[in-house]
Amino acid sequence: MKTKLLGLCIAVLMFSCKEDTKETAMKEREIKQYTIEQFMDNEAVGGGSFSHDNSKLLVSSNRSGIYNVYTIPVKGGEMTAITSSDSTSISANSYFPNDDRMLLSADGNGDEIDHLFVRELDGNIKDITPEKGAKADFYGWSDDDKHLYFGSNKRDPRYFDVYKMSIDDFSSEMIYQNKDGLDFSGMSDDENYFALSKTVNTNDSDLFLYNAETKEMTKINDNNSANSSQAFSKDNNTFYYTTDDGGEFSYLMSYNLDTKEKNKVIEKPWDIMGSGFTSEGKYMVVYVNEDGKNAIEVLNADTMKPIDLPDFGDKSITSVGFSDDEKWMRMYVGGSNAPSDLYTYNFETKEQYKLTNVLNDDINADDLVTAKVVRYKSFDGVEIPAIYYLPHQASAENKVPAMVWVHGGPGGQTRQGFSSLIQYMVNHGYAVLAVNNRGSSGYGKTFYQMDDLNHGEKDLQDCVEGKNWLASQPEIDGDKIGIIGGSYGGYMTMAALTYTPEEFDVGVNLFGVTNWMRTLKSIPPYWESFRESLYKELGDPYSADSVRLKRISPLFHTDKVTKPLIVLQGAKDPRVLQVESDEIVEGVRKNGVPVEYVLFEDEGHGFVKKENQIESYSRILTFLDTYLKKENPPVDGDTKSTEIEVEKEN
């Protein structure tokens, strides 16, 4: 044992030396700076449904500047465009089970009202859920491959019913009517059992099984806990679900549908985010949120032992999918410094194929930065996890400015994935600390619930302490630290500039909430099942909570803002309405503070079109260079206030 331990120590020391040598080499050579056009020339690919004969994969890609649908040979080759939209993003859902028809989905330019479409063998595309104003979600294929299942709120805008549609004539029938505001989350192959959930609060949810034959509804969980349906066994005898009952993290449980016996199946020191079976039940896939990073296991379903997966070194497998005959697996492989590429793997031949090369050839991968997980103490001693990106060129002799990055939510998590915007900022000399403030998911339910009814207060202090941690780093210029975030992170940006006006030097607000009362009153009707739990966490705008909600809404305190601000917004955003950004910009401008406002007429909650991403990201960097680096500061007396409205032809 001592010999093995000594060998391990030597190996660790050698690895550390290699890393130090590599880092020194990086600092000695010049790091090339890339334009936003070069960063956005990276391709993003998603999905990967196998055709019925395993010859092709159906994927989505933004190579055209917007997401369209493509096919690609299973062993590699040129992509073939299936759609050519230049306005609305189109997503690939699945090949049909027995022919080359394709199931696609698209919304109305970011309005999140998705419809399902079929691409016929002759190339025609048909909307099979054409009801105006109704949203449709694909749930899967029937066991006999003759039907598809989908959810729709066409009967009642608040609730999703479950429908079964013939893939021959596209006639459909309702097989579960959602009268109780429950969320559909799975169904047995024999259509006898429906898994349904009811949100209790933003952490906890009750889980039910509905027996379609007996009309009996059975509650699965005994205690208040986070419960989530995962899968039914192929013999329709066992139901699998995750729960955090009695613990901090979610673990996998089984429930025997005949005996009602429960057993713990898998438990990890982190949340099990998901689990499911392949088509014939040969493999079980388990996803674990391991400190903000996907960890995937593929288990032999009979032995529950992990099978060997290809080794990709410092990159990790972030997603997998299987062919119906279970002979092929597709994988996405990437990391914080590498966008995910698509691979396929043949279980019989053990051969693997790289299908994409999504990193722009102009970019040297060594110029990109690998994220590091760090932790720091907040004002009250709570440990805060964060993802840290330090520019290669940063040193004690060459200090760099920094940005505190705040994720969306509330309850989201910044993870160790690739971000073009973060890498672009870091490449241009900005350190980024992506804070997972209290209330973030992935670190246990106690941590997750710490921000309940104190948003913009204790979680904001976590961000301030993140700034203080940055300022203590020898490579950081402590006098040049800003804050950036989108959605709830945009709210935190405005809260920081409003309630702690001297802590951060600039703010970047991407479609952030600024008036909680209006936002909570205007949530989309199809969020009805989640509305009450959102009110429990944030406050009920129709109750006495409105006093607190007004107090923590930056819109009513814009007179406190003293630092430069840029706001970016999509006009079609159904979650954070355009008026939120319009009014915060108007209010801050009255202070004589530099304010820039960029409005995209053809975007929703988040910017998906490449030309808009290029515009928004370049505007952010120019803003930071001007007001944080102060490379091109405005002349005295010039409080720059600009507004750009980006319109596109539809």
Side-chain angles (χ1 to χ4, degrees):
M1 287 296 294
K2 290 183 178 179
T3 304
K4 290 182 180 179
L5 181 59
L6 178 60
L8 177 62
C9 292
I10 293 173
V12 170
L13 180 61
M14 290 176 63
F15 177 77
S16 176
C17 291
K18 287 180 181 178
E19 288 296 298
D20 291 343
T21 302
K22 180 179 179 181
E23 191 64 30
T24 301
M26 295 297 295
K27 293 183 185 300
E28 289 177 351
R29 77 171 180 84
E30 183 177 353
I31 304 301
K32 183 177 178 181
Q33 283 194 339
Y34 301 99
T35 66
I36 187 56
E37 287 81 8
Q38 287 174 308
F39 269 106
M40 295 315 303
D41 204 28
N42 295 333
E43 183 180 1
V45 180
S49 168
F50 286 90
S51 60
H52 68 101
D53 60 359
N54 292 342
S55 64
K56 302 181 291 291
L57 285 172
L58 185 68
V59 300
S60 305
S61 167
N62 68 346
R63 59 169 47 191
S64 68
I66 192 171
Y67 281 97
N68 274 289
V69 177
Y70 299 81
T71 62
I72 186 169
V74 74
K75 293 185 179 181
E78 291 299 315
M79 280 191 181
T80 300
I82 300 300
T83 64
S84 55
S85 173
D86 60 3
S87 57
T88 296
S89 289
I90 302 177
S91 298
N93 282 337
S94 177
Y95 269 112
F96 274 54
N98 295 315
D99 57 49
D100 278 346
R101 287 180 294 172
M102 304 167 189
L103 187 67
L104 318 175
S105 64
D107 69 359
N109 237 344
D111 65 1
E112 300 185 14
I113 306 298
D114 301 282
H115 284 207
L116 297 178
F117 299 82
V118 170
R119 200 258 193 184
E120 299 281 10
L121 297 177
D122 62 6
N124 287 327
I125 296 178
K126 174 183 179 180
D127 186 350
I128 58 173
T129 57
E131 291 78 15
K132 188 174 182 181
K135 184 178 171 70
D137 293 327
F138 174 57
Y139 289 159
W141 302 102
S142 64
D143 198 37
D144 61 8
D145 292 338
K146 294 180 180 180
H147 300 85
L148 66 85
Y149 302 111
F150 70 98
S152 173
N153 64 342
K154 63 183 179 181
R155 180 188 59 84
D156 185 332
R158 299 172 301 167
Y159 305 133
F160 286 83
D161 301 318
V162 182
Y163 294 84
K164 180 180 181 180
M165 177 181 284
S166 165
I167 64 174
D168 291 329
D169 61 9
F170 303 116
S171 60
S172 63
E173 61 173 318
M174 185 191 300
I175 59 174
Y176 176 75
Q177 182 172 324
N178 184 5
K179 296 178 292 187
D180 304 313
L182 302 177
D183 293 318
F184 172 82
S185 53
M187 183 175 62
S188 59
D189 284 347
D190 61 6
E191 299 180 7
N192 192 39
Y193 287 96
F194 290 76
L196 306 164
S197 64
K198 182 175 181 59
T199 303
V200 177
N201 53 54
T202 51
N203 180 76
D204 300 329
S205 55
D206 290 333
L207 188 59
F208 301 88
L209 282 178
Y210 174 70
N211 187 316
E213 184 178 332
T214 66
K215 312 302 181 187
E216 179 186 9
M217 186 81 78
T218 302
K219 185 180 178 183
I220 300 301
N221 56 296
D222 300 316
N223 304 304
N224 235 24
S225 49
N227 300 278
S228 179
S229 166
Q230 299 302 328
F232 287 88
S233 62
K234 293 303 170 181
D235 60 9
N236 301 307
N237 286 333
T238 308
F239 172 59
Y240 292 87
Y241 65 101
T242 52
T243 182
D244 64 4
D245 189 12
E248 282 292 319
F249 296 95
S250 292
Y251 50 91
L252 186 65
M253 292 284 292
S254 66
Y255 176 86
N256 187 293
L257 296 172
D258 293 327
T259 67
K260 304 189 184 327
E261 181 184 1
K262 300 175 185 177
N263 287 292
K264 186 179 290 186
V265 181
I266 301 174
E267 186 171 21
K268 302 284 186 180
W270 299 96
D271 279 326
I272 293 180
M273 297 167 53
S275 180
F277 290 99
T278 52
S279 294
E280 301 301 320
K282 184 176 182 178
Y283 302 109
M284 172 185 270
V285 182
V286 178
Y287 291 86
V288 181
N289 180 357
E290 194 173 279
D291 211 6
K293 183 178 181 180
N294 265 7
I296 295 177
E297 287 185 352
V298 179
L299 310 177
N300 181 309
D302 291 332
T303 65
M304 294 301 286
K305 301 295 184 184
I307 67 169
D308 291 332
L309 296 176
D311 183 6
F312 293 96
D314 59 351
K315 297 180 182 179
S316 59
I317 300 173
T318 59
S319 169
V320 296
F322 294 79
S323 61
D324 280 348
D325 62 9
E326 301 173 330
K327 293 180 180 179
W328 286 86
M329 176 174 66
R330 60 91 177 147
M331 305 166 286
Y332 281 97
V333 179
S336 60
N337 64 336
S340 291
D341 274 306
L342 177 60
Y343 290 76
T344 54
Y345 178 75
N346 187 295
F347 284 103
E348 293 180 338
T349 66
K350 308 301 181 187
E351 293 177 309
Q352 70 182 50
Y353 305 90
K354 186 178 183 182
L355 274 57
T356 63
N357 211 355
V358 297
L359 182 65
N360 181 1
D361 290 338
D362 290 347
I363 296 178
N364 181 346
D366 288 338
D367 290 336
L368 303 181
V369 170
T370 301
K372 297 179 181 178
V373 177
V374 299
R375 285 174 165 78
Y376 61 88
K377 297 286 187 182
S378 192
F379 69 99
D380 56 357
V382 172
E383 188 175 71
I384 305 300
I387 315 295
Y388 187 39
Y389 298 80
L390 182 67
H392 290 305
Q393 60 267 42
S395 67
E397 294 73 34
N398 181 36
K399 295 179 184 290
V400 297
M403 296 294 291
V404 170
W405 177 288
V406 192
H407 59 66
Q413 182 189 29
T414 296
R415 312 195 68 209
Q416 298 180 58
F418 183 84
S419 166
S420 289
L421 175 54
I422 288 179
Q423 290 288 348
Y424 176 54
M425 292 166 59
V426 175
N427 179 249
H428 283 258
Y430 294 90
V432 174
L433 182 71
V435 172
N436 281 311
N437 50 269
R438 70 189 67 201
S440 301
S441 56
Y443 304 100
K445 63 184 178 186
T446 299
F447 188 83
Y448 183 76
Q449 294 170 330
M450 279 184 177
D451 68 341
D452 288 4
L453 295 177
N454 61 58
H455 299 83
E457 296 170 340
K458 291 182 179 179
D459 53 357
L460 175 57
Q461 289 304 310
D462 295 339
C463 297
V464 171
E465 291 303 327
K467 183 217 77 168
N468 293 337
W469 181 89
L470 279 167
S472 71
Q473 304 306 302
E475 305 91 349
I476 302 300
D477 184 342
D479 295 325
K480 295 180 179 180
I481 300 176
I483 186 168
I484 179 173
S487 192
Y488 185 78
Y491 161 69
M492 291 287 278
T493 293
M494 294 314 309
L497 297 188
T498 303
Y499 305 118
T500 59
E502 299 307 313
E503 292 290 351
F504 296 93
D505 298 294
V506 297
V508 180
N509 166 14
L510 294 104
F511 41 90
V513 176
T514 59
N515 180 347
W516 278 114
M517 289 183 293
R518 176 170 52 213
T519 295
L520 291 171
K521 289 178 180 179
S522 63
I523 60 176
Y526 49 85
W527 280 22
E528 180 63 24
S529 63
F530 187 61
R531 179 178 58 81
E532 286 188 19
S533 63
L534 204 56
Y535 286 1
K536 286 179 182 177
E537 177 172 347
L538 287 159
D540 184 343
Y542 299 101
S543 74
D545 292 341
S546 62
V547 176
R548 179 184 172 275
L549 289 171
K550 185 173 183 178
R551 188 180 81 244
I552 66 169
S553 294
L555 178 62
F556 303 107
H557 311 281
T558 54
D559 60 306
K560 303 290 195 299
V561 179
T562 62
K563 299 299 173 63
L565 169 68
I566 183 171
V567 178
L568 302 99
Q569 175 74 39
K572 295 183 178 293
D573 192 333
R575 306 187 190 191
V576 178
L577 304 180
Q578 179 187 327
V579 66
E580 296 277 315
S581 293
D582 290 347
E583 291 183 354
I584 200 73
V585 167
E586 180 184 0
V588 175
R589 279 178 175 163
K590 293 178 182 177
N591 301 341
V593 174
V595 182
E596 299 187 16
Y597 187 26
V598 184
L599 177 66
F600 294 101
E601 291 293 336
D602 57 346
E603 294 283 9
H605 196 67
F607 311 143
V608 297
K609 298 177 175 66
K610 275 193 177 184
E611 59 183 325
N612 292 341
Q613 291 173 336
I614 289 171
E615 174 70 22
S616 61
Y617 298 171
S618 61
R619 286 294 302 273
I620 290 171
L621 188 72
T622 299
F623 171 83
L624 295 179
D625 286 348
T626 301
Y627 294 105
L628 194 57
K629 274 187 180 178
K630 300 182 179 178
E631 290 182 340
N632 300 295
V635 296
D636 290 343
D638 177 18
T639 55
K640 186 178 180 183
S641 184
T642 62
E643 184 164 343
I644 288 184
E645 188 168 319
V646 185
E647 297 185 8
K648 302 288 187 302
E649 294 182 3
N650 293 325

